[in-house]
Amino acid sequence: MSTSSYLIRRVLQAVAVIVIVTIVVFGLLHALPGGPARGILGPQATAQQIAHFNHEQGLDKPLPVQYFYYLGQLLHGDLGTSYTLNEPVSQLITERLPKTLVLTMLSALVGLVLAIPMGMWQAVRRNKPVDYVITTLSFIAYSTPVYFLGLILVLVFSQGLAWFPSQAPQGETLGQVISEPQALVLPVVAGAASMVAVFSRYMRAATLENLSEDYVRTARAGGSRARAILWRHVFRNSLTPVVAMLGYYVPVLFGGALVVEQLFNYPGMGLLFWTAAQSSDYPVLLGCVLVIAVATVVGTLLADIVQRIIDPRVKAGRA
Amino acid sequence: SGGGTSSSSGSASSDTINYALPANFTPNWILPVGTASHLNTNNSSISQAVWEPLIAYDGSTGKVGWNKDNSLATDAKFAADSKSVTVTLGDRHWSDGKQITSRDVEFWFALVKANKEDWASFSPGKAPDNWTSFKTIDDTHFTITFDKAYNQEWMLANELSMIRPMPQHVWDKTSDPGAVSDLDRTAAGAKKVWTYLNNAAKKISGYATDPLWKTVSGPYTIKSFSTAGKVELTANAKYDGGGKANIKNVNLLPFTTADAEANALRAGTVDYGYINATDLSQESSFKARGYSVKPWTGWAITYMPYNFNNPAMGSVFKQLYARQAIQMSVDQTTLSKVVFNGTAVPTYGPVPQGQDSSFVSPEQKTNPYPFDTAKAKKLLTDHGWTEQGGTMVCTSPGTGDNQCGAGVDKGTTFEMQVLSQSGSTVTDNMMSALQSSFAKTGIKFSIKTAPVNSVLSQSGQCTADESGCTWQLSFFGTAGSWYFPAYPSGDSLFATGGGSNFGSYSNAEVDKLITETTTSSSNEAVRKYSAALAKDLPVIWLPEPDYQISVVKNGLGGFAQDSLANFHPAMWKWTK
Amino acid sequence: MTATTKGSAARTAASGPILELDDLGVVFTTETGDVPAVKGVSLQVRPGETLALVGESGSGKSTIALAAMGLLDGNAQATGSAVIAGTQIVGASENGLAALRGKTVSMVFQEPATALDPLTRIGKQITEVIRNHREVSAKDAAAEAVELLRRVGIPEPEKRAHTYPFQLSGGQRQRVVIAMAIANEPGLLIADEPTTALDVTVQAEILDLLRRLAADTGTGVLLVTHNMGVVADFADRVAVMYHGEIVETGPVEDVLLRPAHDYTRRLLAAVPRLAVTETADGTGRPAVSVPARTNRSAAEPSASPAGPGGPASETVVELRDIDVVFGRGKAAVRALDGVSFRVGPAETLGLVGESGSGKSTAARVALGLIPPTSGTVSLFGADLGRTRARARRALRAGIGVVLQDPVASLDARMTVGECVAEPLRVHRRDLSAKDRQAKVAAVLDRVRLSRELARRAPRELSGGQRQRVSLARALILEPRLLVADEPTSALDVSVQEAVLEVITELQDELGFACLFVSHDLAVVQHFAQRVVVMRAGRIEEQGSTGTTLLHPETDYTRRLLAAVPVPDPVVQRGRRAERLATLAAGRTEAQA
Amino acid sequence: MSAVIQPDLGPAKAAPPREASGARLAVRRFLRNKLAVVGLAVVVFFFLFCFAGPLVYSTDQTHTMLQQVNLAPSGAHWLGTDAVGHDELGRLMYGGKVSLIVGVAAGVLATVIGTLWGAAAGYAGGWIDAVMMRIVDAGIAIPALFILLVVSAIATPGLTGLVVILGLVSWLVPSRLVRAETLTLKNRDYVLTLRATGGTHARAILRHILPNSVSTIIVAATFQVADAILLVAYVSYLGMGVRPPQTDWGGMLSAGLTAAYSGYWWLILPPGLAIILVVWAFNAIGDGLRDAFDVRGRG
Ligand SMILES: Nc1ncnc2c1ncn2[C@@H]1O[C@H](COP(=O)(O)OP(=O)(O)OP(=O)(O)O)[C@@H](O)[C@H]1O
Ligand SMILES: Nc1ncnc2c1ncn2[C@@H]1O[C@H](COP(=O)(O)OP(=O)(O)OP(=O)(O)O)[C@@H](O)[C@H]1O
Ligand SMILES: [Mg+2]
Ligand SMILES: [Mg+2]
């Protein structure tokens, strides 16, 4: 299949996925017992106020009508208006998303940059002390809940050693956020920890697998040094599972961001999502889920494309 | 770091203070009138700092009462028949220099009258329904007439205190460029003005810049207001009332979690913050950092409603002896001391007991049903229940004295389920403790948890045949504690058909007492009501936790923590 | 002829041995016990000299080669000494060896399929070897790589340099590995069966190339091979291995013509000889007649059993007008172009042709593994393209398959026993574990593999052993059709003879059809009744082996036949000179 | 980073072999991995600790004891008591049952579903693959938190329900991984040989593709187990976890953390260590299992 027709097909499929996601999410949301009114208006609200709210938000209309209305708005780029914050959801998201992106991108970058060499190093040193140490550390990192890790980081590096502030940058704009790099350290570390653990494990497994392939012997016979073999050959061949993981990792990153944002007082998208979920703010919830869904679908799409690039056999359907 | 860059200077000499807003709360409303979704004490605290109330009836001075320093009115005279009140306005001015007159009060009155359905504080039969007319006498005097005689304190504390004079000469219009006129004087016009103002108030980004919000009467004006939750107030230089701001700049900081806030406290970037009850043992460490820890008690009650219409347990709940047995299995003293670390107050009836007040009846105060599981058990066995495998089973149905009672079938097991707020360790601990003590009585208590808004949605009023009537007990957590206005009448909570009477409690006797609390001229009515409900147990009474455990920088003073859960920044003062 | 010998002799005298093994021993530790693969082997290779290492499959040839490179598997334990250009290899550090490998010594591996990094373009892989040892710009190295590809006879090397290994045929891959090995003109070249996947013409070219290398740069060559023709053609000296030991060593003439050891004699006796008759086309090429010693092909024409109805009426597999195009646009490769042939019951069809001519592709099409771009395939009378999945599976139950590459076609996660038993598990599920084991043991015996091997992992076997495992798996079910792609390429002649005998016996017994892909014309001549000669995706000619291989109609076939080396060094040298002369003449003609 | 790496591709030693049967060989391969043996011991220890431990060290885990909360470890309470007076050591056993059962069951469920799904999709290819993978994409694209939130608002599942729900939200990852592996494995010659000789697709997947993806699968599975153990705590937060008086390690840990600043280390370290140890142990076992399945004789 040629690349362009593959791309077209794949993008169309991605769009279909997003439509399915909206249907599922919309349906699930409205399957919730009681509706959002109580959650929004609080325990002291009267029945009239609830009815009024439901009418105002169109929640008394049949579900399909609501859905198509929502979809119609969506096509015009309108994500609705927050029940609790009054602002248009799209505006809330454009305000918050960049902050979260800074966090997640940095975490992902730091995570990968550490994890990949670490995994390879472990594979090369399989069953040697380094391997054991890193394995153990990985699993501690992975099995430590982010909130626990964050707490420890704050305790040690903020309260104890006072190296880094306990709060992420509090600036509103992206520029302000970036201008306080030392305040980003702890949140990024907390966000990257489990990523390092996961990816180093996958990388280690894949590298081990590849190290026993015959082509490694050929390269050795050609006088390539171990390190060169590792980076020129084994590295690329081991990337397949890692790349397959990357696409799916988008929602995980967002999930992590949620906790990190809470811990470090950094109101980004994760927090917006969490708050909306807690307060039954359906439009914001839908908006956030949609953004995450699109990001994930784009992520998986990119992962598939990257896989085609690094492994020509996939493209030839021969793999 | 963060909020600290501008404010780590939170020291006594500074003209700035950093106040921590409650965790995960984003201020989103300043207009003095608004819809229910914006009902939140923190919003109203900000709003009241900018537009002073007519009658500030609060606990800002340490005792709940009318704080005239912070009110636009200087006097309110009730007619002898208690059917009307005449209010006198002080000689006060809007920040643009115009005098504050009866017209500004009338403007508020007209808008609320015409838009009562949308108004957050509306409940049928109450204000503004029971205010039949507004009559201007002159620029500083006006009279409001009621539909019948009311208890004056109640009227003052619970209804008139809601009035918020608004700058009619700036706001009485329907569009930004529109001309100001007397639009509010027709119902249609008032509706349009309401809509216009509400829409304008939805633009949080405009709070600091929109000229509409520049005309204020309170000690502060908005300097900045972000959708992420940070609010900066700055003193209103033109303020001419008694509650002048002591600290020029007030920063209200949003926090994602209490832990994040506590970290900021430890880092010294917050001057006035709070900690979790579980961190109370940390008091000394905060002291060492130059703070003092001050619990902030609230004028509220916490309870767990019974669903009297639940098909399975409703008929059991309807038995007074059963409710008594349940209440006797609740060890409020120990719960307050252990689970809440001493930051809760046992409460045995419908009137808050955190503060001394003349409203509490002796019956409620002394707890008619002290903790005693043996006695509770006996109560049940005396009424036809037999313990089988640790759980009580009705073995002798019927309506006789020693039988289970009307509607309780033979073989009914005493097994109830609470739908409780999830995500709070304290709540979880309390539920476990309750489960344990209920078990001792022979009551099986199972705990189902859900996010608080889901608990709220699932525990509405219902009739036995409705599918949504499966909940038996529900607990909204401490966030669902019921905060009263100054006068603790239980109108919507326990009156038959009351708006927030979730469990459909109904007792004609009590209904009568509740009506009396608002109409009779003495507080005795409230005490009777307190006594009756302390005995009749419409809900399971639980300890009332403090509003928050405040942590205040040394040197910050001049204020008392308002038990009505509002904060009053103008009173804050650096004392050294 | 004399020139070569003289040249190498001169060099030999000039310097000490480039490779010197002294009492080398290698023991593999496996879960089923220790395997002493090499026992006290001593030998020497001098610069410019070619030592051929021959011997039974599994006798330890590859192990010696790997030990000399310091590339033995993790479970191997080497003792004794192996010195290359003064450096002790046994026990040397990896870093020290890296400087040596690819420059002083380089190696061509036995199995080319998996020897290349699947994700790196072949050009780059060659470049890497060049730049490992020489300060050359990337661009120059790339140009050199293209040149090397051209030298090993890869057509359109500029284009091919940009392809990935999976886009190449087996022989092409092998030549890429050779290109890598000679990239830095090493002092010692260890070549482990470097031409198994190559057709004879290419093989001859490659051998010429290596010989030139030896002559021009004084490269010493340790050549592991089972092809006695190649030995005769190429080697100066021969060492014969048997069961991990060197049983005989000496100059090529001595060993091949006057074998001393019993095993050597047996080995030579098993060499299949190509029967060639004098050509009547008047090209003036002198015919070489070869004494047919154990020539079974004499009986060949009558060997085709005339079953009931005859082979003509029934067809086991038939390809009709098959086109196969890989890729699209500029990169498209037309691997097959209008190929049609059929195989009847109890008939063996030999598929021959030069490397990359589409033999494997045709076999895969016949198996339904590659859907043809156009044309139809019918299997047991049913159109493969149109049968439903279930029916197709039923049809396939009667097929035995040996794919070209023995490493790749065995699942490394299964033991040998499991690999061989797999068809039983698929189609004979009623069989008890014990019966299954018995059958596996029996079939291993038939292909001359020890039963012990059943519990080993495929990567713990020698190349020839793996190939026989593959074959055992194909035979265990007593198939109705056997498709075998180079099933004996890695086998020494004695084992090959035995294995082919087994197939013949079974075929007589069961009457299965056989599609036999091979580049070894002698084997095909002995083994197949009919032959299809392929070239560049097209069928050049086809007919009965007797006629086609004895009286070829096309130049191409004739050239193929002429290139087959004979295991007589004297004769072979003569033939080579002959061929080179013709080639040179052809070249000058073309240039003129 | 690369400068730190000192690769060592040289040969490694192997233990001396003896004659043995296939299954015993696998066991021996497993036992040869020392870390895996330790991991197995740890897991066995925790299972014994949680299921047999209460027989030896019996405590009341159903009643709260508000008179003795947050006590530091002592002779009477080896690991102290928690915020409502439960003996912490007893609670560790009590909570461990849930964590171990749910962790292992949900982890295995997710891995099995994901593996089969991914292998089937990758193997089938074409539109079947496209449809199956788009379903996975959609599943991945909807944040698990959202699904859990909705489910928890609608129902409060029991232990089995919990396992199923956790399994169902987490099978997507392994499926994508396995599909990626399958794509590169399905055209290997041994699979082609099997197909050409009429082997079933099921066999190709189960006997060749999955065993050859085993290292990826095992890594995924160990993460699934870890995820499940942690997720139980998380869903408790949403109101979907186990109900009091039951508990689980994750829940104990998050409850203990609220007292982090009060210095009640005995409420944090034991459940934290238990989780880490068990997760680590499962990984080590996974590693050993991979060796056991691996007949390749890698040194
Ligand atoms: N997947 C593929 N993509 C592109 N080209 C291919 C592919 N597979 C084979 N080819 C090309 O098709 C041609 C025929 O290959 P095939 O493997 O059939 O050759 P062969 O006759 O078996 O050669 P050999 O004797 O070397 O094994 C070769 O030129 C090869 O490069
Ligand atoms: N990694 C290994 N582990 C265990 N045994 C092995 C290993 N590699 C090879 N062997 C065994 O060592 C012996 C010698 O193998 P080697 O590969 O050297 O044979 P060979 O002479 O090259 O044979 P062929 O001609 O078939 O390639 C064989 O019996 C083989 O089974
Ligand atoms: Mg070999
Ligand atoms: Mg081929």
Side-chain angles (χ1 to χ4, degrees), chain B residues 38-61:
Chain B
H38 308 112
L39 187 92
N40 179 295
T41 63
N42 294 285
N43 277 337
S44 83
S45 292
I46 297 171
S47 173
Q48 292 192 11
V50 180
W51 290 283
E52 226 167 59
L54 182 69
I55 293 168
Y57 206 101
D58 56 40
S60 59
T61 52

Side-chain angles (χ1 to χ4, degrees), chain C residues 169-171 359-361 404 485-486 517:
Chain C
S169 78
K359 305 183 293 291
S360 299
T361 307
Q404 185 168 7
D485 194 350
E486 310 271 14
V517 179

Side-chain angles (χ1 to χ4, degrees), chain C residues 26-38 53-66 72-76 110-111 192-193 224-226 241 243-244 449 453 456-468 490-492, chain D residues 296-297:
Chain C
V26 178
V27 176
F28 289 103
T29 316
T30 75
E31 281 165 340
T32 46
D34 283 1
V35 180
V38 174
L53 197 56
V54 301
E56 194 182 32
S57 166
S59 60
K61 307 182 292 293
S62 300
T63 307
I64 287 182
L66 288 170
L72 282 170
D73 270 0
N75 64 336
Q110 188 168 9
E111 266 123 2
D192 192 355
E193 312 272 17
V224 177
T225 183
H226 58 258
M241 279 198 80
H243 286 309
L449 282 176
L453 297 186
R456 279 215 215 145
R459 77 174 356 245
E460 293 173 335
L461 299 187
S462 79
Q465 288 167 334
R466 273 189 276 234
Q467 199 162 47
R468 280 173 282 164
L491 300 182
D492 65 286
Chain D
R296 298 200 290 179

